[in-house]
Amino acid sequence: MKDSVFQPGHPWLDTEGQAIQAHGGGIMVHEGRYWWYGENKAAPSYKNERVTGWDCRRHDLVGVSAYSSDDLLNWRNEGIVLGPVSDDPDHDLHPSKVMERPKVNFNPRTGQFVMHFHVDRHDYSLAAVGVATSDRPAGPFRFRGTLRPNGADSRDLTVFVDDDGSAWLVHSSEWNRTLYISRLSEDWLFTTGEYYRVFAGQSREAPALFRHRGLYHLITSGCTGWDPNPAEHAFAEHLAGPWTLTGNPCRGPGAETTFGAQSTFVLPLPGQPDACLFMADIWNKDD
Ligand code: DGJ
């Protein structure tokens, strides 16, 4: 039976009745079908006792899951499209590592689906970007490697594809103090040396960048680990800025903590010029 509503803050079940595992994710529209990629967190959470300076909570790396849908409500599990590499403790995708915020986009120049994600050591000290590609939206994706964009550190990220086909990696850098918007190469596998520093020194993460009626819009969170904080919205005529801050875009009960959640993606809805879908995660650092 098809669902007609979903309830924010409650487990959202897939078409098999299992909780959707697609956290920190993003939605791609391809040939009239929606594809939702996100972190699979089906592993026990624990405090990383090897880290003493901050409250590092983690789970072993499970992989990136994909779901597909034709109505954004009923999602079919397409499985884990990029999984861990268990037999090599040094591999960036070993279960002991971190894999967060995957975003997938189709590159018409290469005919490849390209996935970018935050890849890290158990203590978040690597701060790099993982890249994987596939010929099909349902994967499997092939891991192409890890990069530090233009040599910079990179933690929370998203990817924005502009109307002119250029692709931009939006990532928290400088130890999360400054957000970078870095142009990707034509095949989207590398950075190019062109980048903009925005919100310098303002410690923003969880970026969601989209375009609406000729303006760029950027929603970010503050840096409070797994705990929620107020979102912030900014707009600009150019990616390089200047960016104008407008404050917290949320309204109603819970707005002051982004409804207990943290931004991950905004999908401008096809065929609905003024409708955008805002996606955010309600994290539970204990589970
Ligand atoms: C907040 C980030 O937005 C999450 O993706 C994750 O990296 C946690 N911090 C880790 O504490």
Side-chain angles (χ1 to χ4, degrees):
M1 200 179 72
K2 284 200 156 196
D3 278 336
S4 55
V5 296
F6 89 101
Q7 298 178 49
H10 292 259
W12 191 350
L13 306 184
D14 64 19
T15 51
E16 303 291 319
Q18 302 297 313
I20 293 175
Q21 288 281 350
H23 315 280
I27 293 177
M28 173 184 74
V29 188
H30 185 70
E31 294 179 347
R33 194 157 179 85
Y34 299 103
W35 292 84
W36 180 1
Y37 302 87
E39 303 161 30
N40 188 311
K41 287 184 171 290
S45 301
Y46 60 92
K47 182 169 167 58
N48 186 357
E49 302 292 355
R50 288 195 280 165
V51 175
T52 50
W54 57 286
D55 186 22
C56 181
R57 307 295 185 105
R58 68 179 310 280
H59 61 84
D60 281 357
L61 189 160
V62 179
V64 175
S65 283
Y67 293 80
S68 70
S69 172
D70 56 16
D71 63 3
L72 289 168
L73 184 58
N74 295 277
W75 292 92
R76 184 174 75 203
N77 186 0
E78 303 281 350
I80 292 179
V81 294
L82 182 66
V85 176
S86 302
D87 57 2
D88 177 3
D90 294 328
H91 197 283
D92 286 335
L93 302 188
H94 186 263
S96 62
K97 306 297 172 77
V98 169
M99 180 194 236
E100 292 180 342
R101 297 184 176 272
K103 303 291 179 283
V104 174
N105 293 282
F106 178 66
N107 185 336
R109 279 199 200 93
T110 61
Q112 296 269 293
F113 296 86
V114 186
M115 179 192 294
H116 297 88
F117 52 97
H118 173 193
V119 65
D120 227 317
R121 296 195 190 100
H122 70 95
D123 59 356
Y124 289 80
S125 62
L126 179 67
V129 179
V131 184
T133 56
S134 176
D135 296 333
R136 303 181 311 128
F141 281 76
R142 181 163 75 91
F143 182 57
R144 304 292 294 265
T146 295
L147 61 91
R148 299 256 292 186
N150 305 307
D153 60 315
S154 174
R155 291 187 171 84
D156 281 7
L157 62 73
T158 193
V159 171
F160 169 71
V161 180
D162 210 341
D163 293 349
D164 64 3
S166 61
W168 302 81
L169 186 72
V170 185
H171 57 108
S172 300
S173 192
E174 301 178 13
W175 290 94
N176 282 350
R177 282 192 297 273
T178 298
L179 203 66
Y180 282 24
I181 303 180
S182 304
R183 185 194 278 268
L184 294 173
S185 55
E186 298 221 327
D187 58 10
W188 301 357
L189 303 183
F190 304 98
T191 47
T192 57
E194 180 183 354
Y195 67 95
Y196 310 121
R197 293 172 72 244
V198 302
F199 309 146
Q202 293 181 39
S203 296
R204 308 305 302 174
E205 62 180 2
L209 176 59
F210 61 104
R211 198 170 172 162
H212 178 248
R213 293 198 183 274
L215 289 176
Y216 298 97
H217 296 264
L218 189 46
I219 295 178
T220 58
S221 78
C223 291
T224 53
W226 297 109
D227 300 326
N229 58 61
E232 192 168 79
H233 166 259
F235 69 89
E237 283 183 36
H238 307 283
L239 287 176
W243 287 87
T244 303
L245 295 170
T246 68
N248 185 346
C250 302
R251 299 287 181 273
E256 67 285 353
T257 60
T258 320
F259 314 109
Q262 187 182 29
S263 46
T264 183
F265 195 72
V266 172
L267 175 68
L269 290 176
Q272 299 184 53
D274 280 323
C276 294
L277 183 77
F278 172 65
M279 298 169 67
D281 295 278
I282 299 177
W283 301 119
N284 175 356
K285 63 185 173 190
D286 296 318
D287 184 6

